[in-house]
């Protein structure tokens, strides 16, 4: 049984299509893998499908960004992309589906503890927050994410991801975990603040 890490979870990232689900299950991502929802995605047999290749509904694979699993570079936060040498989480194994080597980062504003998303790709990130307009995040731009429970849709090349900001039942425990992460970060990199 998986240990309860809900209070240590900064946010969960769900794969919302088959390509993203396959990428999340790569061995490189195993420190962040949490679980799957639904049955694995599989190609239908010829007799069961239409004239074009057809797949069952995709399962949703979840990875978690947690304050007890640190990114490889604390100055950048958790890095997502297709280059295994620079990314904590691989979204693909190459750039053929529109995922840059280093596509985006998720980090914190250490003064407010807000979760930030930063685009590092020449390709825009498309972010959609419920009840708001679609936001195109251009290269080098950063957005602060909501600090309340929310589901945010993110398009990265051909991949669709769902960022889930979890409910924090006990804010003091969550804040203690985030503070411990912060202390490790500033100890490792004093200029971070």
């Amino acid at each position: 049984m998986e240990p309860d890490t809900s209070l240590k979870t900064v946010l969960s990232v769900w794969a919302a299509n088959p390509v993203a689900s396959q990428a999340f299950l790569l061995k490189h991502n195993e420190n962040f893998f949490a679980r799957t929802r639904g049955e694995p995605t599989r190609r239908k047999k010829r007799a069961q499908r239409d004239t074009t290749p057809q797949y069952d509904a995709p399962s949703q694979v979840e990875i978690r960004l947690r304050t007890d699993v640190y990114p490889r570079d604390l100055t950048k936060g958790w890095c997502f992309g297709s280059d295994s040498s620079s990314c904590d989480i691989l979204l693909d194994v190459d750039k053929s589906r529109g995922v840059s080597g280093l596509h985006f980062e998720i980090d914190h504003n250490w003064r407010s503890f807000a979760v930030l998303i930063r685009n590092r790709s020449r390709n825009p990130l498309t972010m959609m927050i419920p009840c708001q307009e679609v936001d195109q995040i251009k290269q080098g731009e950063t957005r602060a994410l909501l600090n309340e429970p929310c589901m945010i849709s993110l398009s990265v090349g051909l991949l669709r991801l769902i960022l889930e900001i979890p409910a924090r039942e006990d804010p003091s425990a969550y804040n203690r975990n985030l503070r411990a992460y912060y202390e490790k970060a500033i100890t490792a990199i004093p200029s971070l603040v």
Side-chain angles (χ1 to χ4, degrees), residues 80-181:
F80 293 74
S82 60
D83 179 8
S84 62
S85 66
S86 63
C87 293
D88 299 289
I89 295 141
L90 287 181
L91 298 177
D92 210 340
V93 293
D94 59 34
K95 298 177 184 179
S96 64
R97 290 185 264 252
V99 178
S100 297
L102 174 55
H103 208 103
F104 68 94
E105 301 162 351
I106 294 179
D107 198 8
H108 290 87
N109 174 316
W110 291 115
R111 295 185 202 283
S112 68
F113 288 102
V115 177
L116 305 173
I117 186 166
R118 184 177 307 114
N119 185 3
R120 292 295 186 193
S121 172
R122 283 183 261 166
N123 302 319
L125 285 176
T126 303
M127 184 169 76
M128 186 163 159
I129 298 173
C131 302
Q132 293 186 16
E133 290 186 24
V134 173
D135 188 4
Q136 291 284 326
I137 306 171
K138 296 178 182 159
Q139 183 178 18
E141 292 182 341
T142 301
R143 298 289 188 275
L145 302 179
L146 303 172
N147 279 330
E148 56 194 48
C150 183
M151 303 279 271
I152 299 166
S153 176
L154 188 67
S155 293
V156 181
L158 299 178
L159 281 67
R160 272 196 46 244
L161 310 174
I162 305 295
L163 307 180
E164 181 180 0
I165 298 175
R168 296 173 183 140
E169 314 303 327
D170 181 353
S172 61
Y174 177 81
N175 288 337
R176 277 194 310 273
N177 290 329
L178 198 54
R179 174 89 35 209
Y181 173 80

Side-chain angles (χ1 to χ4, degrees), residues 2-13 30-34 62-71 74 78 89 106 108 174 177-178 181:
E2 169 184 324
D4 180 16
T5 58
S6 58
L7 295 175
K8 294 180 179 181
T9 301
V10 174
L11 59 90
S12 297
V13 185
E30 70 186 350
N31 288 339
F32 300 98
F33 179 75
E62 177 192 9
I63 59 172
R64 290 186 185 155
L65 303 185
R66 300 179 351 210
T67 58
D68 62 338
V69 178
Y70 303 115
L74 291 167
W78 293 275
I89 295 141
I106 294 179
H108 290 87
Y174 177 81
N177 290 329
L178 198 54
Y181 173 80

